[in-house]
Amino acid sequence: QVQPGESGGGLVQAGGSLRLSCASSGLTTSWYGMGWFRQAPGKEREFLAAIRWTDGSTYYSDSVKGRFTISRDKVKNMVFLQMNSLKPEDTAVYYCAAVDITTMTQYGSWGQGTQVTVSS
């Protein structure tokens, strides 16, 4: 029942929460990770968070640290982004992608993304 690409976006009010999901390849190499990115209108795509698949180590950008939590399900090969205390400036299209955990850069293909809209 795993859907390809990102899911879980929607419309929320400021202060609300959403949980995003996507599938992972689940590779066990030391450098393999999954990350979340977003792109707001007129802005460049930005890195938000990443998780190393082997040991679950997590990494966050300053903009979401303390509000967003990345996690994984190794059995189902899924990665999640729990987003709390959402702000209007979090409005963007959110993407997940495989990342090289040593560089924190995406190396796989981008999907359609899922729209997150936060109203005030």
Side-chain angles (χ1 to χ4, degrees):
Q1 295 181 346
V2 176
Q3 278 273 59
E6 304 88 346
S7 64
L11 298 167
V12 295
Q13 293 188 345
S17 299
L18 286 172
R19 191 173 89 148
L20 309 183
S21 305
C22 79
S24 169
S25 295
L27 299 179
T28 56
T29 53
S30 61
W31 52 263
Y32 178 77
M34 288 293 295
W36 287 96
F37 304 77
R38 70 185 178 191
Q39 187 167 24
K43 300 288 187 70
E44 295 182 352
R45 206 183 305 253
E46 67 170 314
F47 166 81
L48 300 175
I51 187 165
R52 186 182 177 191
W53 208 254
T54 53
D55 66 0
S57 299
T58 57
Y59 311 86
Y60 297 95
S61 69
D62 290 338
S63 63
V64 304
K65 194 175 300 180
R67 298 190 299 125
F68 293 7
T69 303
I70 189 170
S71 62
R72 80 205 192 290
D73 185 330
K74 295 184 71 176
V75 174
K76 296 182 178 180
N77 284 331
M78 297 284 290
V79 63
F80 309 97
L81 185 68
Q82 178 66 46
M83 306 186 295
N84 298 326
S85 302
L86 284 163
K87 307 172 182 179
E89 51 262 46
D90 293 320
T91 296
V93 178
Y94 284 68
Y95 303 87
C96 73
V99 302
D100 182 334
I101 209 70
T102 66
T103 61
M104 222 57 66
T105 56
Q106 174 266 351
Y107 69 85
S109 60
W110 297 107
Q112 288 281 94
T114 185
Q115 177 71 49
V116 172
T117 302
V118 184
S119 64
S120 59

